[in-house]
Amino acid sequence: MPGLGFRVPQEEVFPGGPRVMVTGATGLLGRAVCREFQTSGWSVVGTGYRRARPRLLRCDLTDEDSVRGLLHEYQPDVIIHCAAERRPDVVERHTEAAVNLNVHATSTLAKEAAACGTLFIYISTDYVFDGRNPPYGEDDSPNPLNVYGRSKLEGERETFRHCSGAVVLRVPVLFGEVESVTESAVTSLWLKVESAESCTLDHCQQRFPTDARDVATVCRKLAERARQDPSIRGVFHFSGKEQMTKYEMAVSIAQAFNLPSNHLIPLTEQVAGSAPRPINSQLNCSRLELLNLSVEPRPFTIAISDCLWPFTPDKRWRQTVFH
């Protein structure tokens, strides 16, 4: 099959139960989504590309023939499309590659999902909004400030153009069970916290750090409900509830680990040369909540401690704090 590094026997991937295919399954959110569906009795196949690994299918999502072949072979009931270039500054520098993944690959997946009768769930972002008039409801007009936000908004439009019954789930900045602290803009703050050197951190842009594990649970709830109820379609929002700047996140991390934070310096103006970002793109999540499809996030300090303790010099820290 074109674009696949190897073939996993279908009976091994899908032993029974509803079938879900997760794109970007090697990434932070994709890994959490795979785990969530597996522990809930779904049969899961994940795709990756540069970071593909055993038991995951290697697929170039920008290759239409590969995508078509993959879906026709594995025939999933649901696709969760997590794969994206989501680093705004990288998107500004490598726009063509990012648009190929964020827009064109999304268009292909949505088209093929519609042809196969597969439920399509596309993960989008709060960066489709300009941040000038929060909080933003699902029906508020998007106005992205940077190329990343525009590419994700275009992905949303391609999704609905080809697959009218699709679900778009917008989420803000994510953290979770990272493989390295640099995998998330939130967990990467650990490097600033544990360093004794003075450093500046943004204290202007209001963020709502959100646990990828909670997003994964929402994806599963949406998939289960939408398979039973065709009215579950369109745009949904999910977000953590605690409003924090990067500086405030870093101070919270320091406090959670009983570390000093007086070397962290709040910066109240945007850094020149970086992609423009919305000042406050808070999401109103009432649609999910009214349908009982949301989850109650754990407090940030507890959730972030759970993610970062493996990176502490003394791994016994967790036992002393949690037991």
Side-chain angles (χ1 to χ4, degrees), residues 234-253:
V235 178
F236 293 85
H237 290 170
F238 179 73
S239 172
K241 296 180 178 178
E242 294 174 73
Q243 179 174 321
M244 314 171 88
T245 63
K246 278 192 173 182
Y247 168 74
E248 289 168 330
M249 288 184 226
V251 170
S252 290
I253 291 169

Side-chain angles (χ1 to χ4, degrees), residues 248-293:
E248 289 168 330
M249 288 184 226
V251 170
S252 290
I253 291 169
Q255 290 172 344
F257 287 90
N258 297 316
L259 293 172
S261 60
N262 53 358
H263 64 293
L264 305 173
I265 303 164
L267 184 67
T268 53
E269 53 193 45
Q270 188 153 359
V271 179
S274 62
R277 288 158 166 81
I279 199 73
N280 185 349
S281 48
Q282 180 181 8
L283 298 173
N284 178 327
C285 307
S286 57
R287 188 179 181 206
L288 271 181
E289 290 162 2
L290 289 169
L291 290 165
N292 198 29
L293 292 170

Side-chain angles (χ1 to χ4, degrees), residues 199-249:
C199 64
T200 57
L201 286 166
D202 177 72
H203 192 43
C204 186
Q205 187 189 2
Q206 304 299 315
R207 311 298 299 271
F208 293 81
T210 300
D211 195 328
R213 293 166 291 190
D214 292 335
V215 177
T217 302
V218 169
C219 286
R220 176 184 55 79
K221 288 185 168 191
L222 277 166
E224 290 172 347
R225 183 79 68 84
R227 292 187 69 224
Q228 307 298 325
D229 180 356
S231 74
I232 303 297
R233 56 196 283 180
V235 178
F236 293 85
H237 290 170
F238 179 73
S239 172
K241 296 180 178 178
E242 294 174 73
Q243 179 174 321
M244 314 171 88
T245 63
K246 278 192 173 182
Y247 168 74
E248 289 168 330
M249 288 184 226

